[in-house]
């Protein structure tokens, strides 16, 4: 079905949780590359190819975004809002992955057009199963618009974003190995 | 309706005078008739006892007139001048005059009685009323006040209070004009809310109900005003309002607190349980390196959880466990705080300067020291790559308010962070140590002391944390 591996962007400030998510997706390694950024600003830098993500090689357009809500600098809601306001990015499915079960968070996420809302479970079996299934669904089973996928080439230049953030921390996106 | 007026002590003198004049008149009549034995008109003098009797004893004057008439007739009959019809005529006139005077006097007395009675009733009510009542003239002088009013305004006695100009009893004397205008306009006021000034200068909240007083020609001569002191009621209302607001704030704080804590405490739990599961798998697969990583994550998460719990506990203590506030020169607290972390300051190479003289504040000394230590350490930790890091502790007066500040020339922060940094467990920089509870704790301490705290900063341009405290 695919000519190149799918790309998942993981926005997660907690290193342990990021690793946990990546391990949950281990089985899909061959077909799925994961890029990890650790705060909201960095996520937008990646998506809009700014700063250290200016080159396309460093920031392939993701097919799926896994987004935590509690993030330093720019929180997940704001990141989600920016993504869904952007003509080019709004088609990318965004799965909110958080420990928050707060109704307000859930409502706000869906108001900002989150595609799914997933609560991190303390039970690793359940957690990895859900992450796996969800990723599998969005990346393999769900059929995205081919038309849209082709827009990939020049997202950075066209987007119309309110917040112009400069990257602060020298965090490097870790592709899963 | 006739009322029998019983003679009272005052009338005893009248009786003597009356009897004296009657006797004088009778002697005069005999003297003229039998000693002088000529015709002299003396009967005009008879009107003296008749009029007196009429005024004092009303229609009973008729008896006096009748008696004097009889005397006049008899002495004339036995005296040389002849008895004429005029003599009888005069006697009748005596009686008529006595009756008329008696009647008129009685009428007037009845009216006066009614008036006195009503005035007595009114005055008793006025005097004993527990509602302060004020009778004022149009010109703004007090005409009469009752004891309750004297007490309300805190004056020694009635006369002292009456010496004060009525507008000066108002907190804002201009209000008085507005008030009287309104009474003049509608003839009364009901519950006119006004702040009045007591003798000692304290202000009381009152409601005044007044009616206009006019003379017979409809000219305004003054006002009757009843004052109701609602200071206490108002204070209680405000107190209630304040408590409600307080509870609301506390409630939303609590909600946020629970939300944050549940999220932040859950996070390490997810890690621990997740890696425990992975650990089991990795042991089965004999992946030693992975096992080490798993254990590291588990240990770190447990440490984080411990720190989070400690900070949460500390935060919850701030409101509950307080040392009594004392008057401390702020400079002393600064000095103590700097001494406490002298080592850290020295090793970091930060240059700390402080203002020379600080105002004295009314605070929990230990907690404030904690605040300063926290803020100075923050400045040290976020000095960034600054080659000559500086911290300046001082104060300024902003619109009459004293604002203390801890200023640095470190990395600073974007405006979007200014509020968030005070959130519990919020960290600007993920890699910095600590749980991110420091500023939340600082904020809570400042607020418990009754102050406010905020940040003035721009990214790359240093950071100034400002706060207010109760000043002595």
């Amino acid at each position: 079905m695919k000519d190149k591996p799918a790309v998942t962007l993981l926005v997660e400030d907690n290193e342990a949780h990021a690793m946990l998510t990546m391990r949950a997706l281990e089985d899909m390694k061959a077909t799925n590359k994961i890029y990890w950024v650790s705060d909201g600003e960095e996520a937008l830098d990646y998506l809009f190819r700014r700063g250290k993500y200016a080159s396309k090689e460093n920031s392939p357009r993701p097919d799926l975004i896994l987004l935590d809500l509690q993030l330093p600098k720019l929180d997940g809601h704001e990141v989600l809002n920016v993504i869904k306001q952007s003509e080019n990015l709004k088609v990318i499915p965004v799965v909110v992955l958080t420990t928050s079960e707060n109704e307000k968070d859930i409502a706000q996420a869906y108001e900002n057009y989150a595609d799914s809302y997933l609560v991190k479970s303390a039970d690793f079996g359940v957690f990895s199963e859900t992450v796996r299934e969800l990723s599998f669904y969005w990346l393999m089973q769900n059929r995205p618009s081919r038309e849209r996928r082709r827009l990939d080439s020049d997202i950075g230049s066209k987007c119309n974003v309110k917040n112009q953030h400069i990257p602060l921390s020298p965090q490097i996106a870790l592709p899963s190995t | 309706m006739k009322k029998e007026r019983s003679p009272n002590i005052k009338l005893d003198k009248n009786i003597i005078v009356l009897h004296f004049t009657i006797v004088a008149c009778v002697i005069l009549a005999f003297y003229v008739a039998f000693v002088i034995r000529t015709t002299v008109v003396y009967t005009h003098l008879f009107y003296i006892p008749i009029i007196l009797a009429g005024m004092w004893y009303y229609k009973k004057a008729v008896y006096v007139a009748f008696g004097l008439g009889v005397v006049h007739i008899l002495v004339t009959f036995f005296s040389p001048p002849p008895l004429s019809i005029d003599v009888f005529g005069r006697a009748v006139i005596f009686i008529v005059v006595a009756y008329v005077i008696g009647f008129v006097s009685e009428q007037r007395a009845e009216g006066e009685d009614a008036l006195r009675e009503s005035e007595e009733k009114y005055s008793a009510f006025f005097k004993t009323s527990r509602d302060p009542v004020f009778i004022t003239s149009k010109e703004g002088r007090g005409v009469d006040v009752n004891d309750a009013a004297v007490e309300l305004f805190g004056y020694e006695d009635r006369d002292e209070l009456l010496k004060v100009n009525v507008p000066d009893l108002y907190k804002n004397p201009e209000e008085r004009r507005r008030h009287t205008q309104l009474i003049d306009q509608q003839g009364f006021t009901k519950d006119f809310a006004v702040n009045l000034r007591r003798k000692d200068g304290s202000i009381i909240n009152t409601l005044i109900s007044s009616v206009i007083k006019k003379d017979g020609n409809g000219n305004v001569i003054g006002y009757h005003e009843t004052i109701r002191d609602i200071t206490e009621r108002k204070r209680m209302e405000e107190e209630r309002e304040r408590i409600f607001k307080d509870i609301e704030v506390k409630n939303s704080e609590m909600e946020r607190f629970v939300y944050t804590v549940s999220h932040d405490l859950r996070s390490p739990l997810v890690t621990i349980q997740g890696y425990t599961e992975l650990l089991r798998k990795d042991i089965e697969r004999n992946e030693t390196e992975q096992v080490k990583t798993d254990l590291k994550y588990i240990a770190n998460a447990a440490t984080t959880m411990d720190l989070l719990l400690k900070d949460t506990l500390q935060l919850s203590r701030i409101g509950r466990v307080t040392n009594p506030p004392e008057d401390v020169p702020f400079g002393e607290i600064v000095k103590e705080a700097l001494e406490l972390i002298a080592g850290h300051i020295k090793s970091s190479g930060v240059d700390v300067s402080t203002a020379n003289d600080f105002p004295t504040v009314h605070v929990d000394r230990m907690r404030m020291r904690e605040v300063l230590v926290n803020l100075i350490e923050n400045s040290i930790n976020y000095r960034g790559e600054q080659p000559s890091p500086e911290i300046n502790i001082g104060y300024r007066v902003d619109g009459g308010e004293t604002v203390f500040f801890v200023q640095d020339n470190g990395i600073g922060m974007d405006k979007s962070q200014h509020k968030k940094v005070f959130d519990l467990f919020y960290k600007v920089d993920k890699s910095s140590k600590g749980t991110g509870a420091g500023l939340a704790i600082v904020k809570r301490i400042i607020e418990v002391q009754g102050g406010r705290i905020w940040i003035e900063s721009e990214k790359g341009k240093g950071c100034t944390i400002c706060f207010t405290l109760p000043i002595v």
Side-chain angles (χ1 to χ4, degrees), chain A residues 99-115:
Chain A
T99 47
S100 167
E101 279 180 280
N102 187 290
E103 279 305 320
K104 265 192 219 152
D105 275 338
I106 298 173
Q108 201 186 340
Y110 281 119
E111 267 162 35
N112 283 334
Y113 306 106
D115 294 272

Side-chain angles (χ1 to χ4, degrees), chain B residues 271-469:
Chain B
T271 306
I272 291 171
Q273 286 188 291
Y275 281 97
T276 312
E277 187 66 26
L278 286 175
L279 184 65
R280 201 177 49 76
K281 272 191 194 163
D282 290 335
I283 290 173
E284 274 170 16
R285 292 187 203 151
N286 243 334
E287 304 219 33
T288 327
E289 277 313 301
Q290 276 294 351
V291 168
K292 278 185 194 160
T293 320
D294 297 342
L295 284 173
K296 191 192 80 191
Y297 281 131
I298 293 173
N300 283 351
T303 312
T304 307
M305 190 134 189
D306 186 42
L307 286 175
L308 291 174
L309 282 174
K310 269 187 192 142
D311 283 346
T312 307
L313 197 63
Q314 200 195 347
L315 189 69
S316 78
R317 276 203 186 116
I318 294 166
R320 279 185 299 122
V321 189
T322 50
N323 307 309
E326 48 182 316
D327 295 352
V328 206
F330 190 75
E332 264 180 41
I333 309 177
V334 172
K335 221 175 109 201
E336 287 169 11
L338 289 174
E339 274 163 16
L340 267 177
I341 47 168
H344 191 189
I345 293 173
K346 206 170 168 216
S347 65
S348 64
V350 173
D351 185 24
V352 180
S353 60
T354 64
N356 288 329
D357 59 319
F358 278 105
T360 298
V361 289
H362 187 69
V363 293
D364 178 336
R365 189 187 190 122
M366 262 170 55
R367 291 282 192 216
M368 268 321 294
R369 199 163 55 206
E370 211 175 302
V371 163
L372 282 168
V373 166
N374 219 312
L375 294 180
I376 297 165
E377 287 201 315
N378 259 347
S379 285
I380 295 175
N381 291 340
Y382 290 95
R383 65 186 185 278
E385 302 300 312
Q386 178 62 246
S388 52
E390 283 167 25
I391 296 173
N392 177 24
I393 305 167
Y395 73 99
R396 60 175 196 240
V397 178
D398 246 8
E401 192 179 37
T402 306
V403 177
F404 298 91
F405 59 80
V406 176
Q407 187 176 36
D408 65 45
N409 57 356
I411 57 172
M413 65 181 78
D414 198 76
K415 207 170 163 65
S416 62
Q417 309 290 311
H418 289 190
K419 277 222 158 62
K420 283 190 198 165
V421 289
F422 292 111
D423 283 351
L424 184 60
F425 303 139
Y426 181 81
K427 291 174 74 174
V428 180
D429 182 1
K430 200 68 198 171
S431 58
S432 66
K433 56 182 182 179
T435 58
L439 281 180
I441 290 171
V442 164
K443 182 172 188 243
R444 181 101 178 95
I445 294 175
I446 296 278
E447 283 173 356
V448 165
Q449 319 275 328
R452 292 177 298 120
I453 186 164
W454 67 95
I455 284 187
E456 291 167 3
S457 172
E458 258 179 74
K459 205 171 196 170
K461 290 189 180 169
C463 179
T464 306
I465 300 206
C466 306
F467 52 94
T468 61
L469 288 172

